[in-house]
Amino acid sequence: AQSVTQPDIHITVSEGASLELRCNYSYGATPYLFWYVQSPGQGLQLLLKYFSGDTLVQGIKGFEAEFKRSQSSFNLRKPSVHWSDAAEYFCAVGPYNFNKFYFGSGTKLNVKP
Amino acid sequence: GAGVSQSPSNKVTEKGKDVELRCDPISGHTALYWYRQSLGQGLEFLIYFQGNSAPDKSGLPSDRFSAERTGGSVSTLTIQRTQQEDSAVYLCASSLARGPDSDNEQFFGPGTRLTVL
Protein backbone atom coordinates (compact mmCIF):
# COMPACT_ATOMS: atom_id res chain seq x y z
CA ALA A 1 0.00 0.00 0.00
CA GLN A 2 1.12 3.52 -0.69
CA SER A 3 1.61 5.68 2.34
CA VAL A 4 3.63 8.45 3.88
CA THR A 5 4.57 8.53 7.53
CA GLN A 6 5.64 11.59 9.44
CA PRO A 7 6.44 10.18 12.88
CA ASP A 8 6.69 13.52 14.67
CA ILE A 9 3.36 15.23 15.23
CA HIS A 10 4.84 18.24 17.02
CA ILE A 11 8.40 19.53 17.18
CA THR A 12 9.69 22.53 19.11
CA VAL A 13 13.08 24.04 18.38
CA SER A 14 14.78 27.21 19.48
CA GLU A 15 15.30 29.98 16.99
CA GLY A 16 18.68 29.55 15.36
CA ALA A 17 18.83 25.83 16.04
CA SER A 18 18.96 23.23 13.31
CA LEU A 19 15.89 21.31 12.24
CA GLU A 20 15.17 17.90 10.79
CA LEU A 21 11.67 16.70 9.99
CA ARG A 22 11.31 13.02 9.23
CA CYS A 23 9.39 11.47 6.36
CA ASN A 24 9.18 7.81 5.46
CA TYR A 25 7.24 6.49 2.51
CA SER A 26 5.95 3.22 1.20
CA TYR A 27 5.53 3.27 -2.54
CA GLY A 28 5.51 0.52 -5.12
CA ALA A 29 7.04 2.46 -7.99
CA THR A 30 9.60 5.18 -8.46
CA PRO A 31 8.59 7.83 -5.95
CA TYR A 32 8.36 11.49 -6.71
CA LEU A 33 8.67 13.27 -3.38
CA PHE A 34 7.60 16.66 -2.12
CA TRP A 35 7.59 18.81 0.97
CA TYR A 36 4.90 21.44 1.51
CA VAL A 37 4.47 24.04 4.22
CA GLN A 38 1.15 25.31 5.53
CA SER A 39 1.36 28.48 7.58
CA PRO A 40 -1.60 29.52 9.75
CA GLY A 41 -4.34 30.90 7.56
CA GLN A 42 -2.32 30.22 4.42
CA GLY A 43 -2.59 27.67 1.68
CA LEU A 44 -0.01 24.96 1.12
CA GLN A 45 3.21 26.07 -0.49
CA LEU A 46 5.73 23.83 -2.18
CA LEU A 47 9.13 23.89 -0.46
CA LEU A 48 10.98 21.43 -2.65
CA LYS A 49 10.64 18.30 -4.74
CA TYR A 50 12.71 15.30 -5.75
CA PHE A 51 12.31 13.48 -9.04
CA SER A 52 15.73 12.08 -9.88
CA GLY A 53 19.43 12.89 -9.90
CA ASP A 54 21.20 14.41 -6.94
CA THR A 55 19.63 13.00 -3.81
CA LEU A 56 20.13 16.25 -1.90
CA VAL A 57 17.68 18.86 -3.13
CA GLN A 58 17.51 22.50 -2.25
CA GLY A 59 14.28 24.36 -1.80
CA ILE A 60 12.97 27.75 -0.90
CA LYS A 61 13.45 29.50 2.43
CA GLY A 62 16.77 27.73 3.06
CA PHE A 63 15.29 24.23 3.30
CA GLU A 64 16.85 21.10 1.88
CA ALA A 65 15.87 17.44 1.82
CA GLU A 66 17.77 14.23 1.23
CA PHE A 67 16.33 11.22 -0.55
CA LYS A 68 17.58 7.91 0.83
CA ARG A 69 16.17 5.06 -1.17
CA SER A 70 17.60 2.37 1.12
CA GLN A 71 15.76 3.89 4.06
CA SER A 72 12.65 4.98 2.13
CA SER A 73 13.11 8.39 3.65
CA PHE A 74 12.99 11.99 2.50
CA ASN A 75 13.87 14.09 5.55
CA LEU A 76 13.62 17.85 5.51
CA ARG A 77 16.38 19.94 7.07
CA LYS A 78 17.26 23.52 7.79
CA PRO A 79 20.53 24.62 9.40
CA SER A 80 19.11 27.57 11.33
CA VAL A 81 15.42 27.99 12.05
CA HIS A 82 13.72 31.37 12.03
CA TRP A 83 10.60 32.26 14.00
CA SER A 84 8.73 32.63 10.71
CA ASP A 85 9.28 28.93 10.01
CA ALA A 86 6.64 28.03 12.58
CA ALA A 87 4.05 26.17 10.52
CA GLU A 88 2.85 22.71 9.60
CA TYR A 89 4.93 20.68 7.19
CA PHE A 90 3.65 17.93 4.95
CA CYS A 91 5.58 15.29 3.05
CA ALA A 92 3.96 13.80 -0.07
CA VAL A 93 4.68 11.14 -2.67
CA GLY A 94 3.24 10.81 -6.15
CA PRO A 95 3.57 8.69 -9.28
CA TYR A 96 5.15 9.60 -12.59
CA ASN A 97 1.94 10.90 -14.09
CA PHE A 98 0.98 12.79 -10.92
CA ASN A 99 -2.56 11.58 -10.97
CA LYS A 100 -2.66 10.94 -7.25
CA PHE A 101 -0.64 12.15 -4.30
CA TYR A 102 -0.30 10.64 -0.84
CA PHE A 103 0.34 13.04 2.00
CA GLY A 104 1.65 12.44 5.48
CA SER A 105 -0.33 13.63 8.48
CA GLY A 106 1.96 16.59 8.98
CA THR A 107 4.44 17.86 11.55
CA LYS A 108 3.69 21.05 13.44
CA LEU A 109 6.78 23.09 14.10
CA ASN A 110 6.95 25.53 17.00
CA VAL A 111 9.89 27.91 17.26
CA LYS A 112 10.96 29.17 20.68
CA PRO A 113 12.48 32.66 20.86
CA GLY B 1 -2.12 36.55 -11.94
CA ALA B 2 -4.70 35.14 -9.57
CA GLY B 3 -4.10 31.92 -7.73
CA VAL B 4 -6.51 29.08 -7.12
CA SER B 5 -9.69 30.34 -5.54
CA GLN B 6 -12.32 28.41 -3.65
CA SER B 7 -15.78 29.31 -2.48
CA PRO B 8 -17.28 29.52 -0.03
CA SER B 9 -14.47 29.87 2.47
CA ASN B 10 -16.71 28.52 5.21
CA LYS B 11 -19.87 26.45 5.00
CA VAL B 12 -22.04 25.33 7.87
CA THR B 13 -24.81 22.92 7.02
CA GLU B 14 -27.18 20.56 8.70
CA LYS B 15 -26.82 16.83 8.53
CA GLY B 16 -28.62 15.44 5.52
CA LYS B 17 -28.35 18.55 3.37
CA ASP B 18 -26.45 18.71 0.08
CA VAL B 19 -23.51 21.08 -0.38
CA GLU B 20 -21.56 22.32 -3.37
CA LEU B 21 -17.98 23.51 -3.14
CA ARG B 22 -16.41 25.45 -5.96
CA CYS B 23 -12.86 25.65 -7.23
CA ASP B 24 -11.49 28.09 -9.79
CA PRO B 25 -8.06 26.86 -10.90
CA ILE B 26 -5.29 28.98 -12.30
CA SER B 27 -6.04 29.83 -15.90
CA GLY B 28 -4.43 27.36 -18.28
CA HIS B 29 -3.82 24.66 -15.70
CA THR B 30 -4.99 21.37 -17.12
CA ALA B 31 -4.77 19.30 -13.94
CA LEU B 32 -7.09 19.82 -10.98
CA TYR B 33 -7.18 17.94 -7.68
CA TRP B 34 -9.55 17.82 -4.73
CA TYR B 35 -8.32 16.84 -1.28
CA ARG B 36 -9.90 16.60 2.15
CA GLN B 37 -8.04 17.61 5.31
CA SER B 38 -9.70 16.41 8.47
CA LEU B 39 -8.66 17.75 11.86
CA GLY B 40 -5.24 16.44 12.77
CA GLN B 41 -4.94 14.49 9.53
CA GLY B 42 -2.97 14.86 6.38
CA LEU B 43 -4.47 15.56 3.02
CA GLU B 44 -6.65 12.79 1.65
CA PHE B 45 -6.82 12.57 -2.13
CA LEU B 46 -10.38 12.65 -3.46
CA ILE B 47 -10.40 13.13 -7.23
CA TYR B 48 -8.17 14.20 -10.11
CA PHE B 49 -9.04 15.82 -13.43
CA GLN B 50 -6.57 16.04 -16.30
CA GLY B 51 -7.64 17.81 -19.45
CA ASN B 52 -10.45 16.00 -21.22
CA SER B 53 -9.57 12.61 -19.79
CA ALA B 54 -11.93 10.71 -17.54
CA PRO B 55 -11.33 11.79 -13.94
CA ASP B 56 -9.64 9.55 -11.41
CA LYS B 57 -12.36 9.17 -8.78
CA SER B 58 -10.61 6.49 -6.78
CA GLY B 59 -10.30 8.65 -3.67
CA LEU B 60 -13.96 9.55 -3.27
CA PRO B 61 -15.02 8.04 0.07
CA SER B 62 -18.61 7.20 -0.88
CA ASP B 63 -21.19 7.63 -3.62
CA ARG B 64 -22.45 10.70 -1.80
CA PHE B 65 -19.41 12.50 -3.17
CA SER B 66 -19.17 13.60 -6.78
CA ALA B 67 -17.29 16.21 -8.74
CA GLU B 68 -17.37 17.70 -12.15
CA ARG B 69 -15.23 20.07 -14.11
CA THR B 70 -16.94 22.17 -16.71
CA GLY B 71 -15.10 23.38 -19.77
CA GLY B 72 -11.83 22.17 -18.38
CA SER B 73 -11.78 24.99 -15.86
CA VAL B 74 -14.08 25.46 -12.86
CA SER B 75 -14.78 22.42 -10.73
CA THR B 76 -17.57 21.68 -8.30
CA LEU B 77 -17.41 19.10 -5.54
CA THR B 78 -20.85 17.99 -4.40
CA ILE B 79 -21.58 16.16 -1.19
CA GLN B 80 -25.08 14.76 -0.91
CA ARG B 81 -26.86 13.96 2.34
CA THR B 82 -23.97 15.33 4.40
CA GLN B 83 -22.86 13.52 7.52
CA GLN B 84 -20.98 14.86 10.52
CA GLU B 85 -17.87 12.90 9.49
CA ASP B 86 -17.79 14.98 6.29
CA SER B 87 -16.70 17.98 8.37
CA ALA B 88 -13.25 18.94 7.13
CA VAL B 89 -11.34 21.45 5.06
CA TYR B 90 -11.70 20.71 1.36
CA LEU B 91 -8.70 21.81 -0.67
CA CYS B 92 -8.40 22.24 -4.38
CA ALA B 93 -5.15 22.37 -6.30
CA SER B 94 -4.24 22.87 -9.93
CA SER B 95 -1.11 22.35 -11.97
CA LEU B 96 0.06 23.13 -15.46
CA ALA B 97 0.90 19.63 -16.61
CA ARG B 98 1.85 16.21 -15.38
CA GLY B 99 5.04 14.22 -15.19
CA PRO B 100 8.44 15.21 -13.86
CA ASP B 101 9.60 16.60 -17.16
CA SER B 102 7.03 19.35 -17.03
CA ASP B 103 6.19 22.23 -14.79
CA ASN B 104 3.91 20.36 -12.49
CA GLU B 105 3.89 22.16 -9.18
CA GLN B 106 0.50 21.98 -7.51
CA PHE B 107 -0.87 25.33 -6.47
CA PHE B 108 -3.35 25.06 -3.64
CA GLY B 109 -6.37 27.15 -2.92
CA PRO B 110 -7.19 28.43 0.58
CA GLY B 111 -9.77 25.70 1.13
CA THR B 112 -13.41 25.52 2.17
CA ARG B 113 -14.06 24.67 5.79
CA LEU B 114 -17.17 22.52 5.94
CA THR B 115 -18.97 22.00 9.22
CA VAL B 116 -21.87 19.57 9.36
CA LEU B 117 -24.04 20.00 12.43
XYZ file of all heavy atoms in Angstrom, chain B residues 25-105:
620
model
N -9.508 27.090 -10.810
C -8.059 26.864 -10.899
C -7.367 28.037 -11.580
O -8.011 28.946 -12.107
C -7.969 25.612 -11.759
C -9.168 25.709 -12.653
C -10.243 26.343 -11.818
N -6.079 27.991 -11.571
C -5.287 28.978 -12.297
C -5.537 28.786 -13.784
O -5.553 27.647 -14.282
C -3.801 28.838 -11.946
C -3.581 29.214 -10.473
C -2.937 29.699 -12.856
C -2.176 28.963 -9.966
N -5.743 29.886 -14.471
C -6.043 29.830 -15.905
C -4.948 29.077 -16.655
O -3.757 29.336 -16.462
C -6.164 31.252 -16.447
O -6.401 31.234 -17.837
N -5.382 28.122 -17.478
C -4.428 27.359 -18.277
C -3.952 26.082 -17.636
O -3.319 25.248 -18.294
N -4.233 25.907 -16.367
C -3.823 24.662 -15.697
C -4.766 23.535 -16.114
O -5.980 23.636 -15.951
C -3.847 24.837 -14.185
C -2.643 25.526 -13.649
N -2.330 25.534 -12.303
C -1.649 26.196 -14.269
C -1.195 26.193 -12.131
N -0.767 26.610 -13.312
N -4.172 22.459 -16.611
C -4.993 21.366 -17.117
C -5.332 20.342 -16.038
O -6.295 19.610 -16.166
C -4.271 20.643 -18.262
O -2.996 20.171 -17.785
C -4.044 21.599 -19.431
N -4.527 20.291 -14.997
C -4.765 19.303 -13.937
C -5.416 19.975 -12.738
O -5.036 21.079 -12.353
C -3.457 18.641 -13.515
N -6.382 19.281 -12.149
C -7.087 19.815 -10.978
C -7.328 18.676 -10.002
O -7.728 17.573 -10.401
C -8.420 20.449 -11.396
C -9.213 21.193 -10.313
C -9.959 22.372 -10.933
C -10.150 20.292 -9.552
N -7.071 18.943 -8.738
C -7.178 17.936 -7.680
C -8.097 18.453 -6.569
O -8.078 19.647 -6.261
C -5.814 17.674 -7.031
C -4.688 17.319 -7.963
C -4.029 18.304 -8.696
C -4.241 16.004 -8.083
C -2.973 17.982 -9.534
C -3.183 15.681 -8.912
C -2.553 16.676 -9.637
O -1.499 16.353 -10.458
N -8.812 17.540 -5.967
C -9.547 17.818 -4.735
C -8.977 16.935 -3.625
O -8.744 15.722 -3.831
C -11.029 17.512 -4.879
C -11.833 18.556 -5.593
C -12.225 18.549 -6.901
C -12.383 19.750 -5.035
N -12.969 19.659 -7.189
C -13.090 20.425 -6.071
C -12.346 20.336 -3.766
C -13.751 21.632 -5.863
C -13.003 21.538 -3.565
C -13.695 22.172 -4.604
N -8.791 17.551 -2.457
C -8.318 16.844 -1.281
C -9.230 17.195 -0.101
O -9.891 18.231 -0.091
C -6.894 17.270 -0.893
C -5.824 16.946 -1.897
C -5.485 17.858 -2.889
C -5.125 15.739 -1.836
C -4.483 17.568 -3.807
C -4.117 15.455 -2.740
C -3.806 16.373 -3.719
O -2.815 16.082 -4.614
N -9.199 16.330 0.898
C -9.898 16.600 2.146
C -8.873 16.555 3.283
O -8.041 15.636 3.343
C -10.990 15.548 2.374
C -11.750 15.724 3.659
C -12.970 14.830 3.702
N -12.675 13.422 3.789
C -13.619 12.476 3.901
N -14.885 12.814 3.936
N -13.267 11.200 3.962
N -8.943 17.541 4.147
C -8.040 17.606 5.310
C -8.893 17.620 6.557
O -9.483 18.644 6.898
C -7.143 18.845 5.222
C -6.085 18.899 6.311
C -5.154 20.096 6.155
O -5.490 21.093 5.522
N -3.964 19.997 6.724
N -8.960 16.499 7.225
C -9.702 16.413 8.469
C -8.800 16.852 9.613
O -7.566 16.835 9.484
C -10.205 14.982 8.694
O -11.020 14.565 7.612
N -9.418 17.213 10.724
C -8.665 17.747 11.860
C -7.581 16.768 12.280
O -7.846 15.597 12.545
C -9.621 18.019 13.022
C -9.033 18.781 14.211
C -8.583 20.171 13.775
C -10.040 18.878 15.343
N -6.336 17.270 12.324
C -5.237 16.435 12.771
C -4.776 15.400 11.769
O -3.944 14.558 12.096
N -5.300 15.465 10.571
C -4.938 14.491 9.534
C -4.206 15.169 8.393
O -4.240 16.387 8.241
C -6.202 13.818 8.993
C -7.051 13.143 10.040
C -6.369 11.943 10.634
O -5.797 11.122 9.933
N -6.415 11.834 11.958
N -3.571 14.344 7.599
C -2.968 14.857 6.378
C -4.010 15.061 5.310
O -5.216 14.947 5.561
N -3.556 15.370 4.138
C -4.468 15.557 3.015
C -4.849 14.201 2.433
O -3.989 13.370 2.159
C -3.811 16.411 1.930
C -3.877 17.908 2.120
C -2.989 18.355 3.265
C -3.499 18.620 0.836
N -6.133 14.028 2.220
C -6.649 12.789 1.651
C -7.087 13.076 0.223
O -7.959 13.921 -0.006
C -7.833 12.307 2.496
C -8.559 11.103 1.951
C -9.855 10.829 2.710
O -10.231 11.652 3.573
O -10.504 9.811 2.429
N -6.481 12.384 -0.724
C -6.823 12.572 -2.129
C -8.268 12.152 -2.374
O -8.714 11.108 -1.910
C -5.885 11.733 -3.000
C -6.320 11.591 -4.427
C -6.058 12.595 -5.340
C -6.995 10.464 -4.850
C -6.460 12.463 -6.668
C -7.402 10.327 -6.169
C -7.134 11.329 -7.078
N -8.998 12.977 -3.121
C -10.380 12.649 -3.461
C -10.544 12.333 -4.942
O -11.033 11.271 -5.316
C -11.311 13.802 -3.069
C -11.407 14.142 -1.583
C -12.311 15.335 -1.368
C -11.886 12.940 -0.789
N -10.144 13.293 -5.809
C -10.404 13.132 -7.229
C -9.415 13.977 -8.020
O -8.901 14.988 -7.531
C -11.860 13.530 -7.577
C -12.220 13.150 -9.020
C -12.106 15.003 -7.314
C -13.720 13.268 -9.311
N -9.151 13.541 -9.245
C -8.167 14.202 -10.109
C -8.752 14.342 -11.504
O -9.270 13.382 -12.073
C -6.895 13.362 -10.134
C -5.924 13.641 -11.256
C -5.147 14.798 -11.253
C -5.742 12.744 -12.305
C -4.215 15.039 -12.258
C -4.823 12.983 -13.310
C -4.064 14.124 -13.282
O -3.138 14.363 -14.270
N -8.654 15.545 -12.053
C -9.043 15.821 -13.433
C -7.786 16.198 -14.216
O -6.967 16.973 -13.752
C -10.015 17.012 -13.496
C -11.341 16.777 -12.844
C -11.523 17.090 -11.497
C -12.413 16.275 -13.558
C -12.752 16.895 -10.888
C -13.646 16.073 -12.951
C -13.804 16.382 -11.612
N -7.668 15.662 -15.421
C -6.572 16.042 -16.295
C -7.134 16.243 -17.691
O -7.530 15.293 -18.360
C -5.470 14.976 -16.317
C -4.382 15.196 -17.366
C -3.643 16.506 -17.227
O -3.451 17.013 -16.121
N -3.228 17.082 -18.335
N -7.156 17.492 -18.121
C -7.639 17.812 -19.452
C -9.021 17.246 -19.704
O -9.930 17.394 -18.883
N -9.166 16.591 -20.841
C -10.449 16.003 -21.216
C -10.554 14.523 -20.857
O -11.530 13.858 -21.223
C -10.680 16.173 -22.722
C -10.815 17.631 -23.099
O -11.430 18.412 -22.394
N -10.213 18.005 -24.228
N -9.552 14.021 -20.154
C -9.567 12.605 -19.787
C -10.605 12.344 -18.703
O -10.999 13.251 -17.964
C -8.189 12.171 -19.273
O -7.193 12.412 -20.233
N -11.015 11.090 -18.614
C -11.933 10.707 -17.536
C -11.261 10.941 -16.192
O -10.083 10.620 -16.017
C -12.317 9.237 -17.679
N -11.962 11.505 -15.229
C -11.332 11.791 -13.940
C -10.999 10.523 -13.171
O -11.644 9.493 -13.332
C -12.396 12.618 -13.214
C -13.686 12.256 -13.861
C -13.362 11.958 -15.292
N -10.001 10.630 -12.341
C -9.642 9.550 -11.415
C -10.432 9.784 -10.127
O -10.095 10.674 -9.353
C -8.139 9.575 -11.149
C -7.687 8.478 -10.198
O -8.519 7.926 -9.453
O -6.480 8.168 -10.195
N -11.468 8.980 -9.913
C -12.363 9.170 -8.779
C -12.043 8.221 -7.632
O -12.846 8.064 -6.715
C -13.810 8.921 -9.207
C -14.283 9.759 -10.367
C -15.731 9.400 -10.721
C -16.229 10.187 -11.921
N -17.623 9.820 -12.261
N -10.891 7.595 -7.707
C -10.615 6.493 -6.782
C -10.552 6.909 -5.316
O -10.659 6.072 -4.424
C -9.311 5.799 -7.175
O -8.237 6.727 -7.150
N -10.386 8.207 -5.055
C -10.302 8.647 -3.674
C -11.617 9.073 -3.047
O -11.667 9.346 -1.841
N -12.667 9.123 -3.823
C -13.963 9.546 -3.268
C -14.422 8.524 -2.238
O -14.489 7.336 -2.520
C -14.997 9.695 -4.377
C -14.724 10.795 -5.400
C -15.795 10.813 -6.471
C -14.619 12.160 -4.725
N -14.752 8.969 -1.021
C -15.021 8.038 0.068
C -16.355 7.308 -0.026
O -16.507 6.248 0.581
C -14.965 8.915 1.318
C -15.257 10.292 0.827
C -14.738 10.371 -0.567
N -17.313 7.874 -0.733
C -18.608 7.204 -0.878
C -19.317 7.767 -2.095
O -18.872 8.753 -2.688
C -19.463 7.407 0.379
O -20.018 8.710 0.396
N -20.438 7.140 -2.450
C -21.186 7.625 -3.624
C -21.945 8.903 -3.318
O -22.620 9.444 -4.198
C -22.113 6.533 -4.163
C -23.109 6.049 -3.141
O -23.190 6.654 -2.034
O -23.813 5.068 -3.421
N -21.849 9.398 -2.099
C -22.453 10.699 -1.800
C -21.585 11.832 -2.346
O -22.034 12.959 -2.446
C -22.627 10.869 -0.291
C -23.591 9.886 0.355
C -23.821 10.225 1.825
N -22.624 10.096 2.645
C -21.893 11.119 3.093
N -22.258 12.368 2.802
N -20.835 10.901 3.849
N -20.354 11.502 -2.662
C -19.408 12.501 -3.171
C -19.331 12.410 -4.691
O -19.209 11.311 -5.245
C -18.011 12.261 -2.596
C -17.853 12.611 -1.150
C -18.428 11.821 -0.162
C -17.131 13.724 -0.766
C -18.288 12.137 1.186
C -16.976 14.050 0.567
C -17.553 13.255 1.548
N -19.361 13.557 -5.341
C -19.173 13.601 -6.778
C -18.516 14.925 -7.140
O -18.543 15.874 -6.345
C -20.501 13.450 -7.519
O -21.367 14.525 -7.205
N -17.914 14.969 -8.297
C -17.287 16.206 -8.739
C -17.372 16.284 -10.237
O -17.396 15.259 -10.932
C -15.827 16.286 -8.275
N -17.420 17.483 -10.713
C -17.370 17.704 -12.152
C -16.501 18.919 -12.435
O -16.256 19.752 -11.565
C -18.772 17.894 -12.727
C -19.531 19.097 -12.204
C -20.888 19.242 -12.876
O -21.412 18.244 -13.401
O -21.417 20.361 -12.881
N -16.055 18.942 -13.672
C -15.228 20.065 -14.111
C -15.762 20.501 -15.466
O -15.670 19.755 -16.444
C -13.767 19.654 -14.212
C -12.842 20.828 -14.473
C -11.392 20.424 -14.534
N -10.555 21.591 -14.673
C -9.262 21.546 -14.975
N -8.666 20.383 -15.166
N -8.558 22.658 -15.080
N -16.295 21.680 -15.504
C -16.945 22.168 -16.713
C -15.961 22.962 -17.569
O -15.245 23.837 -17.055
C -18.147 23.053 -16.353
O -17.704 24.084 -15.461
C -19.225 22.238 -15.672
N -15.933 22.628 -18.846
C -15.102 23.376 -19.774
C -13.627 23.324 -19.452
O -12.862 24.190 -19.883
N -13.232 22.315 -18.721
C -11.827 22.174 -18.381
C -11.311 23.225 -17.425
O -10.097 23.396 -17.269
N -12.227 23.930 -16.756
C -11.782 24.992 -15.858
C -12.384 24.803 -14.468
O -11.886 24.005 -13.694
C -12.153 26.354 -16.434
O -11.730 27.380 -15.573
N -13.471 25.472 -14.189
C -14.080 25.457 -12.857
C -14.530 24.043 -12.493
O -15.030 23.297 -13.330
C -15.279 26.419 -12.822
C -16.056 26.273 -11.534
C -14.813 27.846 -13.030
N -14.340 23.723 -11.230
C -14.779 22.418 -10.728
C -15.697 22.598 -9.533
O -15.522 23.536 -8.739
C -13.574 21.573 -10.321
O -13.986 20.326 -9.783
N -16.654 21.693 -9.435
C -17.569 21.685 -8.300
C -17.530 20.313 -7.636
O -17.668 19.296 -8.311
C -19.012 21.980 -8.750
O -19.044 23.241 -9.408
C -19.952 22.013 -7.557
N -17.336 20.328 -6.340
C -17.408 19.100 -5.537
C -18.745 19.116 -4.814
O -19.064 20.079 -4.112
C -16.258 19.035 -4.537
C -16.238 17.841 -3.575
C -15.931 16.553 -4.328
C -15.209 18.064 -2.464
N -19.534 18.077 -5.017
C -20.854 17.990 -4.398
C -20.878 16.860 -3.382
O -20.419 15.749 -3.670
C -21.937 17.743 -5.469
O -21.908 18.811 -6.422
C -23.313 17.678 -4.827
N -21.387 17.176 -2.213
C -21.584 16.156 -1.194
C -23.078 16.094 -0.902
O -23.682 17.084 -0.485
C -20.815 16.471 0.105
C -19.343 16.767 -0.206
C -20.924 15.303 1.081
C -18.547 17.251 0.997
N -23.653 14.938 -1.148
C -25.084 14.762 -0.913
C -25.319 14.167 0.467
O -24.492 13.411 0.991
C -25.669 13.831 -1.979
C -25.601 14.394 -3.391
C -26.150 13.427 -4.425
O -25.750 12.263 -4.468
N -27.069 13.901 -5.248
N -26.444 14.536 1.048
C -26.859 13.960 2.341
C -25.677 13.996 3.315
O -25.229 12.967 3.828
C -27.370 12.541 2.152
C -28.492 12.431 1.127
C -28.979 10.994 0.973
N -27.941 10.063 0.592
C -27.453 9.916 -0.636
N -27.942 10.670 -1.627
N -26.505 9.019 -0.892
N -25.183 15.188 3.591
C -23.975 15.334 4.401
C -24.110 14.653 5.753
O -25.192 14.612 6.365
C -23.619 16.812 4.610
O -24.773 17.492 5.112
C -23.140 17.454 3.333
N -22.977 14.148 6.220
C -22.863 13.516 7.525
C -21.847 14.300 8.354
O -21.001 15.012 7.803
C -22.398 12.067 7.369
C -23.279 11.223 6.482
C -24.659 11.025 7.069
O -24.792 10.699 8.250
N -25.689 11.222 6.262
N -21.895 14.123 9.662
C -20.979 14.855 10.521
C -19.521 14.508 10.212
O -18.643 15.380 10.322
C -21.302 14.597 11.989
C -22.591 15.257 12.435
C -22.873 15.077 13.906
O -22.488 14.078 14.496
N -23.558 16.047 14.489
N -19.266 13.286 9.798
C -17.874 12.903 9.491
C -17.354 13.551 8.212
O -16.164 13.435 7.902
C -17.731 11.378 9.376
C -18.581 10.735 8.291
C -19.885 10.166 8.838
O -20.391 10.700 9.848
O -20.378 9.200 8.230
N -18.241 14.244 7.474
C -17.789 14.978 6.288
C -17.153 16.313 6.674
O -16.550 16.983 5.823
C -18.962 15.248 5.330
C -19.614 13.983 4.824
O -18.927 12.924 4.774
O -20.809 14.020 4.486
N -17.293 16.716 7.921
C -16.702 17.983 8.369
C -15.186 17.937 8.189
O -14.523 17.029 8.696
C -17.043 18.238 9.839
O -18.435 18.387 10.025
N -14.680 18.910 7.466
C -13.251 18.944 7.133
C -12.993 20.210 6.333
O -13.911 20.959 6.005
C -12.841 17.712 6.313
N -11.722 20.417 6.022
C -11.344 21.455 5.057
C -11.138 20.770 3.722
O -10.395 19.779 3.625
C -10.070 22.190 5.487
C -9.650 23.189 4.417
C -10.286 22.902 6.821
N -11.810 21.276 2.704
C -11.699 20.708 1.362
C -10.794 21.629 0.544
O -11.077 22.816 0.370
C -13.080 20.552 0.733
C -13.849 19.443 1.407
C -14.521 19.669 2.606
C -13.855 18.154 0.882
C -15.193 18.637 3.263
C -14.525 17.119 1.518
C -15.186 17.369 2.714
O -15.839 16.349 3.362
N -9.707 21.049 0.063
C -8.700 21.806 -0.668
C -8.716 21.432 -2.134
O -8.879 20.265 -2.492
C -7.310 21.533 -0.093
C -7.047 22.053 1.318
C -5.775 21.449 1.876
C -6.943 23.562 1.314
N -8.518 22.433 -2.950
C -8.403 22.239 -4.385
C -7.006 22.676 -4.800
O -6.429 23.606 -4.210
C -9.456 23.089 -5.097
S -9.362 23.089 -6.891
N -6.449 21.995 -5.771
C -5.146 22.372 -6.303
C -5.171 22.230 -7.817
O -5.919 21.408 -8.357
C -4.036 21.498 -5.715
N -4.361 23.017 -8.490
C -4.238 22.867 -9.929
C -2.773 22.892 -10.317
O -1.920 23.389 -9.578
C -5.017 23.962 -10.675
O -4.407 25.235 -10.532
N -2.483 22.308 -11.462
C -1.114 22.351 -11.975
C -1.148 22.426 -13.489
O -2.159 22.102 -14.128
C -0.297 21.137 -11.502
O -0.742 19.962 -12.125
N 0.004 22.836 -14.036
C 0.064 23.127 -15.460
C 0.070 21.858 -16.288
O -0.531 21.790 -17.356
C 1.322 23.939 -15.752
C 1.444 24.530 -17.141
C 0.283 25.454 -17.427
C 2.754 25.287 -17.263
N 0.765 20.847 -15.807
C 0.903 19.629 -16.608
C 1.195 18.479 -15.675
O 1.119 18.607 -14.469
C 2.009 19.794 -17.650
N 1.554 17.366 -16.203
C 1.853 16.210 -15.378
C 3.183 15.624 -15.801
O 3.635 15.837 -16.917
C 0.759 15.155 -15.476
C 0.588 14.572 -16.860
C -0.522 13.564 -16.848
N -0.682 12.924 -18.142
C -1.588 12.002 -18.371
N -2.396 11.610 -17.422
N -1.694 11.445 -19.557
N 3.782 14.876 -14.877
C 5.039 14.224 -15.187
C 6.218 15.077 -14.778
O 6.161 16.295 -14.795
N 7.296 14.474 -14.395
C 8.444 15.212 -13.858
C 9.184 16.016 -14.891
O 10.025 16.835 -14.547
C 9.328 14.103 -13.271
C 8.962 12.888 -14.052
C 7.503 13.033 -14.368
N 8.895 15.813 -16.152
C 9.597 16.595 -17.163
C 8.893 17.910 -17.451
O 9.335 18.681 -18.285
C 9.696 15.781 -18.464
C 10.496 14.518 -18.274
O 11.437 14.540 -17.458
O 10.171 13.508 -18.909
N 7.807 18.136 -16.776
C 7.029 19.347 -17.027
C 6.919 20.192 -15.763
O 7.271 19.752 -14.687
C 5.626 18.977 -17.512
O 5.685 18.146 -18.639
N 6.444 21.367 -15.935
C 6.186 22.233 -14.791
C 4.911 21.746 -14.127
O 3.822 21.967 -14.615
C 6.024 23.679 -15.258
C 5.809 24.633 -14.103
O 5.785 24.174 -12.938
O 5.648 25.834 -14.354
N 5.038 21.086 -13.040
C 3.911 20.355 -12.489
C 3.620 20.685 -11.037
O 2.936 19.938 -10.356
C 4.200 18.867 -12.606
C 5.612 18.583 -12.180
O 6.038 19.045 -11.134
N 6.357 17.865 -13.002
N 4.146 21.788 -10.567
C 3.894 22.156 -9.176
C 2.405 22.330 -8.968
O 1.717 22.971 -9.762
C 4.622 23.448 -8.817
C 4.326 23.934 -7.409
C 5.055 25.221 -7.077
O 5.969 25.598 -7.829
O 4.704 25.848 -6.055
